[in-house]
Amino acid sequence: MLVQFGACRLELVQGDITRQSVDAIVNAANSKLAGGGGVDGAIHRAAGSTLMDETRQQYPDGCPTGSAVATSGGLLKAKFVFHAVGPIWRGGVFGEIDLLKSAYRRCLELAVEHSCRSVAFPAISTGVYGYPIDLAAETSLAVTREFLLTQKKPDLVRFVLFDGGAFGAYARVLDAMAD
Ligand code: APR
C-alpha cells in the first residue's frame, strides 16, 4: 500500500526489515543498546558482529527512551541502522504516546541528517514492549505524515510489518488518513 504526502511516499509492506533495499533501517532497541530478540536480534544477526562493536564503541551510555542513534549497516543492504528506543507500554498514562512519537521523529531527523532518501521502520514497541498495535499504527503514521508534509524529506518512508495482523492495523489507519 502506497500513499503520497506532498512529494514524499509512505509505503506499507509485510515482510522482514533486514531484507529491505533502503538507505537506512530502524531497529527497535533497548536503552542499553544491548541487543535482544525480535527485530533487534534479526538485525544484529543479518548485519554481523561489527554492528554491536560499533554500537558499544560509539554509544557506551546507550540511548534514552524516545530517542535514536545511528550506526553503519554492517553487512545489510542498508547503509545505516538507526537504533530507536520505544517506550514499554504501561497502560498509556506514562507518556508512552509522546515517547513513541519522539522515537519516530528522531529517526526521521537522522534520515535527513544522513542524507537518506529512503528509510524503513518496524512497528517499534509492539512486540516485547507491549504497545497496542492499533494505537502504535495511529501514533507512528501520524508523526510520519506530519514530518513528510512539513520537512518534505525523506523521499520514501516504508513501514515493514512482520505479520498480517500488524499490516492490517497499519493499512486501516493509513486508509483513513489518505481520505
Ligand atoms: N522485520 C520486521 N519486523 C519484525 C521483525 C523483522 N525481522 N522481527 C520482529 N518484528 C516485529 C514484531 O512482530 C513487532 O511487531 O517488530 C515489532 C517490534 O517487536 P520487538 O522486536 O519485540 O520490539 P519492541 O516491542 O520495541 O521491544 C524492544 O525487545 O528485542 C528486544 O532489545 C529489544 O529490549 C528491546 C525490546
Side-chain angles (χ1 to χ4, degrees):
M1 180 176 183
L2 183 70
V3 171
Q4 195 85 24
F5 289 119
C8 307
R9 286 173 296 152
L10 198 165
E11 185 177 23
L12 304 184
V13 300
Q14 191 181 335
D16 179 350
I17 200 163
T18 64
R19 305 177 73 87
Q20 304 299 310
S21 296
V22 285
D23 294 332
I25 67 169
V26 174
N27 184 16
N30 52 63
S31 57
K32 292 187 170 146
L33 302 177
V39 72
D40 198 356
I43 288 175
H44 277 280
R45 274 193 302 278
S49 60
T50 58
L51 188 64
M52 187 51 84
D53 298 341
E54 196 187 327
T55 308
R56 281 206 189 103
Q57 214 162 46
Q58 286 198 52
Y59 308 104
D61 299 328
C63 172
T65 303
S67 192
V69 295
T71 63
S72 71
L75 300 173
L76 293 164
K77 288 184 203 158
K79 203 166 161 204
F80 301 102
V81 175
F82 302 149
H83 305 263
V85 185
I88 297 172
W89 180 260
R90 292 190 289 160
V93 290
F94 291 93
E96 292 95 323
I97 294 178
D98 285 343
L99 287 167
L100 189 63
K101 273 191 185 162
S102 135
Y104 275 96
R105 202 176 295 113
R106 184 65 197 128
C107 290
L108 291 164
E109 288 168 359
L110 284 172
V112 173
E113 287 166 19
H114 290 80
S115 304
C116 296
R117 297 181 67 184
S118 54
V119 57
F121 284 98
I124 299 169
S125 285
T126 66
V128 178
Y129 280 2
Y131 204 106
I133 191 75
D134 293 326
L135 201 51
E138 278 175 29
T139 307
S140 55
L141 289 171
V143 71
T144 302
R145 174 181 182 273
E146 187 195 326
F147 191 93
L148 294 179
L149 288 174
T150 56
Q151 305 301 313
K152 306 183 191 340
K153 288 178 197 171
D155 294 347
L156 172 69
V157 176
R158 180 180 296 156
F159 283 81
V160 182
L161 292 323
F162 204 45
D163 57 53
F167 181 84
Y170 270 71
R172 278 190 294 280
V173 173
L174 188 59
D175 220 14
M177 221 175 237
D179 283 344

